[in-house]
Amino acid sequence: MIKIKITDVAQRAGVSKSTVSQYLNGRFEYMSKETKKRVKAAVDDLNYIPNPIARSLKTDKTKMIGVIVRDITGYDTSRFIRGIHDYCKTSEYNALIYNTDFDPEIEAKSLHALNQLRVEGMLIASSGKNTSIITGFIEAGMQIVQFQIEHDGNEKNIVICDYRQAAFEATEYLIKLGHKRIGFVTQDFQDIKSRRERYLGYVEAHERYNIPLDKQLTKYWDRETGFEESFMDILDPSVLPTAFFTQQLDISTELLTIFKENHISIPDDVSLLAFEEIPNAEFFQVPISVVKQESHKLGYEAAKLLIENIKSKNKAPNRITIPCTLATRDSCIEV
């Protein structure tokens, strides 16, 4: 295949290379309509495609953003990426997506790789383990917007769900159904603000309705090791919560497996409300109530904020909070 060069376009149009370059970069101010028409015809006739790498070296603009996610196959993450893509379609930017599989070392390599690829900005669901790298890039002029998870509350630009309000409303819903023993099942949240906000919403609802908080009803789950203690300890009918409020999709699915193995019926034996949508949960024999994150909107707003910051680098830091939606189904009943 013959490689068409800018000189070929210039020769076909009967203009200089500089004029073709101005046309390709949208600078038509001093170009006659006839010249513009001839250059366009030459580009179309020769099927000329500009070299984006060469153009970026001249203009310092790649029109690329980097996206770093923890699990590209995740239900909410896939919708987040779609939101990014939908906003990019309204701009001149494209996205490069890196998947870390929850590994901080892969995350660090992804940050450096995207920087070497000369992206103009990055979106990242950070592990919290590479703060020094992220801070260094920001100080060097890289535009970075974090999303989905907040660690210490010092993130400069972030788009996040209103986790605390969502957890309060979900717990309140269960309380109004008569539940006073609500199991809160979560990953460790001591060093992650966005997880801690969910717990604080759960606590706030108990305080609002004067229900004593039983800390033994808070159970912990780890991505590598599963539940911190044997769930058999709380499956005893005498101590079993009347409802469980799970905080992550993998927790919800593992708990559903335990219920099935131990012949615990939802909602007859226990109610279940999950934070994060369970794929096709509305089609289960007993549809599961969930707190939905507006993931598409989250991605759309994150991409919008990043690209606006790229175009106007002196903008003040911005924190955008997106409300969640409580979808009540058949897995929660009155007691």
Side-chain angles (χ1 to χ4, degrees), residues 29-288:
E29 294 87 349
Y30 304 105
M31 189 179 301
S32 69
K33 290 183 179 179
E34 179 61 31
T35 298
K36 182 179 176 181
K37 183 177 179 180
R38 290 207 317 272
V39 175
K40 182 182 185 304
V43 168
D44 292 343
D45 290 346
L46 296 173
N47 194 26
Y48 174 70
I49 301 174
N51 185 327
I53 297 176
R55 292 180 68 184
S56 70
L57 291 173
K58 291 181 180 180
T59 64
D60 200 33
K61 300 290 184 182
T62 61
K63 297 296 183 180
M64 299 293 298
I65 61 171
V67 182
I68 301 177
V69 296
R70 295 170 294 169
D71 180 10
I72 198 170
T73 64
Y75 183 87
D76 281 307
T77 300
S78 64
R79 282 150 181 77
F80 175 83
I81 292 172
R82 178 57 190 262
I84 294 171
H85 178 68
D86 285 347
Y87 184 78
C88 284
K89 285 190 292 189
T90 70
S91 70
E92 299 176 348
Y93 283 80
N94 293 296
L96 294 174
I97 301 169
Y98 278 60
N99 184 71
T100 69
D101 288 324
F102 302 91
D103 188 328
E105 291 187 12
I106 296 177
E107 179 182 284
K109 291 178 181 178
S110 300
L111 283 161
H112 287 299
L114 288 168
N115 188 48
Q116 291 170 359
L117 288 168
R118 298 169 57 84
V119 297
E120 294 183 49
M122 300 183 198
L123 297 169
I124 180 170
S126 171
S127 67
K129 305 298 183 182
N130 292 299
T131 302
S132 60
I133 297 175
I134 293 172
T135 300
F137 282 178
I138 292 173
E139 290 176 349
M142 175 68 71
Q143 295 298 320
I144 295 181
V145 170
Q146 300 198 47
F147 69 92
Q148 209 168 35
I149 188 165
E150 185 175 18
H151 293 275
D152 59 10
N154 293 318
E155 291 84 351
K156 298 299 183 184
N157 286 286
I158 188 166
V159 180
I160 199 83
C161 291
D162 193 345
Y163 293 120
R164 185 166 183 166
Q165 182 63 26
F168 172 85
E169 292 176 359
T171 308
E172 180 183 53
Y173 167 70
L174 292 172
I175 291 172
K176 287 184 175 181
L177 288 175
H179 297 279
K180 295 184 179 180
R181 290 182 54 78
I182 302 169
F184 186 86
V185 194
T186 181
Q187 292 174 276
D188 181 73
F189 53 74
Q190 295 304 314
D191 298 323
I192 300 181
K193 185 175 186 288
S194 51
R195 289 182 192 161
R196 190 164 62 250
E197 288 291 300
R198 298 185 189 191
Y199 179 71
L200 292 175
Y202 165 79
V203 171
E204 185 180 334
H206 281 74
E207 293 174 345
R208 176 75 61 85
Y209 290 90
N210 298 311
I211 298 174
L213 190 69
D214 184 351
K215 293 187 177 180
Q216 292 185 353
L217 292 176
T218 298
K219 301 297 177 182
Y220 294 94
W221 176 91
D222 181 81
R223 189 169 297 282
E224 297 296 328
T225 59
F227 289 106
E228 186 177 63
E229 59 185 283
S230 171
F231 237 78
M232 295 305 297
D233 294 340
I234 64 167
L235 294 183
D236 183 335
S238 64
V239 295
L240 184 68
T242 59
F244 281 97
F245 182 22
T246 55
Q247 301 304 303
Q248 206 267 344
L249 175 58
D250 290 340
I251 298 175
S252 303
T253 54
E254 188 166 337
L255 188 57
L256 284 168
T257 300
I258 291 172
F259 286 165
K260 183 178 181 180
E261 291 173 349
N262 290 274
H263 308 291
I264 293 175
S265 174
I266 299 173
D268 297 328
D269 296 326
V270 65
S271 291
L272 175 64
L273 197 158
F275 209 117
E276 295 188 6
E277 179 67 282
I278 302 173
N280 300 317
E282 67 271 29
F283 301 115
F284 287 11
Q285 185 174 359
V286 178
I288 306 298

Side-chain angles (χ1 to χ4, degrees), residues 294-333:
E294 302 298 334
S295 301
H296 180 276
K297 185 174 182 180
L298 198 76
Y300 191 92
E301 292 298 328
K304 180 180 179 182
L305 176 59
L306 178 63
I307 292 173
E308 286 178 349
N309 286 353
I310 290 170
K311 294 179 177 179
S312 179
K313 296 185 177 182
N314 295 322
K315 288 186 65 177
N318 198 350
R319 175 189 175 90
I320 297 175
T321 304
I322 307 294
C324 298
T325 303
L326 177 60
T328 59
R329 298 168 182 151
D330 296 341
S331 63
C332 300
I333 60 172

